[in-house]
């Protein structure tokens, strides 16, 4: 029986694994391999990497760090978790594991624009398609920026990006869901709103091309996708943990859910969706798990 099974091998899961391994706790990380961090072309927000680091490179380093101190890391998909006695049973698509505690760190899934997968991935790699202005708004300063998502969320993102560029356009994927207050705020901040839905998106070597349903073609340097996310909270729900109205996992000040011994950290807990925040929550969770097991 492991002291802790961590479900999710992104920055939160690997930070917790390193802490727990250094607390001399037997720790297993089960990673499905489809986290968002691996798709980051370059992040410049992590201290110690002023020239930036790719998500893949960061995860390789974090994997090596956790493994060096004794954490076990396996690839797999967890189907369910069940409470058995004072511990848990974790069922994967290949094997079953027992754990005294569990940390959920599965993150969220971005809602992507309707476009070919290969085109989308190429646009992300080139920095033409982005998902987090908090992470990389600095990189688009002075450029032609579009935000896809004509809703209150999209409006808020357009207003955030407006600090970095005088040329910001809010695009509609299907139909506008803007309130009058959002409309007025966007106008006040000189943000253009396109009413015609996006028909198609494509990329060149340097431009993001937006083909509108009315036949017009627009060109941008960067498109921010503001279509929301789906939180991977199904395992928490199965285990009986409380979820917020938005679907995030409810935790206390130590990252413990409403189920004793079940913890959560990272993007599936309400926060900024930032690597630094996820790592901080994971450090809190790992320390709380160690103290719980010692009691």
């Amino acid at each position: 029986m492991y002291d802790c099974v961590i479900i999710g091998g992104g920055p939160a899961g690997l930070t917790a694994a390193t802490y727990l391994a250094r607390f001399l706790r037997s720790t297993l990380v089960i990673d499905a391999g489809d986290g968002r961090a691996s798709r980051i072309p370059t992040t410049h927000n992590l201290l110690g990497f002023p020239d930036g680091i790719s998500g893949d490179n960061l995860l390789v380093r974090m994997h090596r760090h956790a493994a060096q101190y004794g954490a076990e890391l396996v690839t797999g998909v967890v189907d369910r978790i069940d409470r058995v006695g004072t511990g848990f049973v974790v069922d994967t698509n290949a094997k079953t594991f027992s754990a005294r505690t569990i940390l959920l760190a599965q993150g969220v899934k971005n809602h992507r624009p309707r476009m070919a997968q290969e085109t989308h991935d190429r646009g992300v790699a080139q920095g033409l398609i982005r998902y987090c202005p908090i992470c990389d708004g600095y990189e688009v300063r002075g450029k032609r920026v579009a935000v896809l998502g004509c809703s209150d969320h999209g409006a808020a993102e357009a207003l955030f990006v407006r600090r970095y560029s005088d040329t910001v356009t809010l695009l509609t994927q299907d139909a506008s869901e803007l309130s009058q207050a959002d409309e007025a705020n966007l106008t006040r901040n000189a943000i253009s709103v396109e009413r015609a839905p996006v028909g198609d998106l494509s990329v060149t070597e340097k431009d993001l091309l937006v083909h509108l349903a009315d036949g017009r073609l627009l060109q941008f340097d960067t498109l921010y996708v503001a279509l929301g996310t789906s939180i991977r909270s199904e395992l928490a729900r199965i285990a009986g943990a409380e979820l917020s109205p938005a679907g995030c996992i409810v935790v206390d000040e130590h990252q413990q859910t409403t189920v004793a011994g079940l913890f959560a950290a990272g993007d599936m807990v309400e926060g900024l969706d930032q690597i630094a925040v996820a790592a901080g929550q994971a450090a809190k969770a790992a320390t709380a798990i160690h103290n719980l097991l010692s009691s």
Side-chain angles (χ1 to χ4, degrees):
M1 178 177 286
Y2 289 94
D3 286 326
C4 185
V5 168
I6 298 170
I7 303 171
L14 293 172
T15 297
T18 300
Y19 271 67
L20 285 165
R22 286 176 53 80
F23 288 143
L24 305 181
R25 295 295 182 183
S26 57
T27 304
L28 174 69
V29 178
I30 305 174
D31 183 22
D34 60 350
R36 293 192 297 173
S38 64
R39 293 189 290 273
I40 299 173
T42 309
T43 177
H44 295 85
N45 273 9
L46 288 180
L47 295 182
F49 299 99
D51 298 320
I53 184 171
S54 72
D56 272 337
N57 192 0
L58 176 65
L59 290 174
V60 166
R61 288 168 177 252
M62 295 186 81
H63 268 262
R64 189 165 64 238
H65 197 156
Q68 178 174 315
Y69 289 103
E72 297 179 43
L73 302 100
V74 299
T75 299
V77 175
V78 175
D79 299 317
R80 65 178 294 120
I81 54 178
D82 291 291
R83 191 70 189 252
V84 178
T86 58
F88 298 88
V89 170
V90 179
D91 290 319
T92 74
N93 51 350
K95 195 172 179 180
T96 298
F97 301 95
S98 296
R100 297 172 67 190
T101 61
I102 290 178
L103 172 64
L104 299 174
Q106 298 164 276
V108 302
K109 183 178 181 180
N110 288 115
H111 297 165
R112 298 186 178 187
R114 291 192 289 266
M115 60 192 303
Q117 184 69 45
E118 186 276 333
T119 303
H120 170 273
D121 293 348
R122 184 155 54 92
V124 170
Q126 293 174 221
L128 297 172
I129 298 174
R130 300 174 182 268
Y131 282 88
C132 181
I134 292 175
C135 303
D136 50 29
Y138 184 87
E139 273 65 55
V140 304
R141 59 197 188 283
K143 296 185 177 181
R144 302 165 298 170
V145 181
V147 176
L148 178 61
C150 220
S151 63
D152 56 348
H153 175 59
E157 196 145 306
L159 289 164
F160 186 94
V161 174
R162 179 66 176 81
R163 176 174 180 81
Y164 297 99
S165 172
D166 293 332
T167 309
V168 178
T169 302
L170 186 60
L171 302 174
T172 305
Q173 177 151 273
D174 293 307
S176 174
E177 301 173 9
L178 294 175
S179 67
Q180 289 186 340
D182 285 333
E183 296 257 17
N185 206 6
L186 292 166
T187 299
R188 210 165 31 244
N189 285 275
I191 294 172
S192 301
V193 179
E194 286 292 345
R195 305 285 174 194
V198 171
D200 185 45
L201 296 168
S202 58
V203 298
T204 67
E205 289 301 313
K206 62 177 183 176
D207 291 316
L208 187 290
L209 305 180
V210 179
H211 306 262
L212 298 180
D214 63 7
R216 286 181 295 145
L217 174 65
L218 305 179
Q219 293 178 280
F220 298 98
D221 299 305
T222 290
L223 172 75
Y224 277 102
V225 181
L227 299 175
T229 58
S230 294
I231 300 154
R232 291 177 164 136
S233 55
E234 182 63 13
L235 291 177
R237 186 193 64 77
I238 291 173
E242 181 182 347
L243 306 180
S244 73
C248 294
I249 300 174
V250 175
V251 296
D252 64 15
E253 66 271 23
H254 302 295
Q255 303 299 133
Q256 186 166 214
T257 72
T258 52
V259 175
L262 178 63
F263 294 74
D267 297 344
M268 56 199 315
V269 175
E270 286 187 287
L272 274 180
D273 281 13
Q274 294 289 294
I275 291 173
V277 173
Q281 291 176 346
K284 287 172 60 180
T287 303
I289 289 169
H290 172 63
N291 289 336
L292 176 66
L293 294 174
S294 297
S295 62

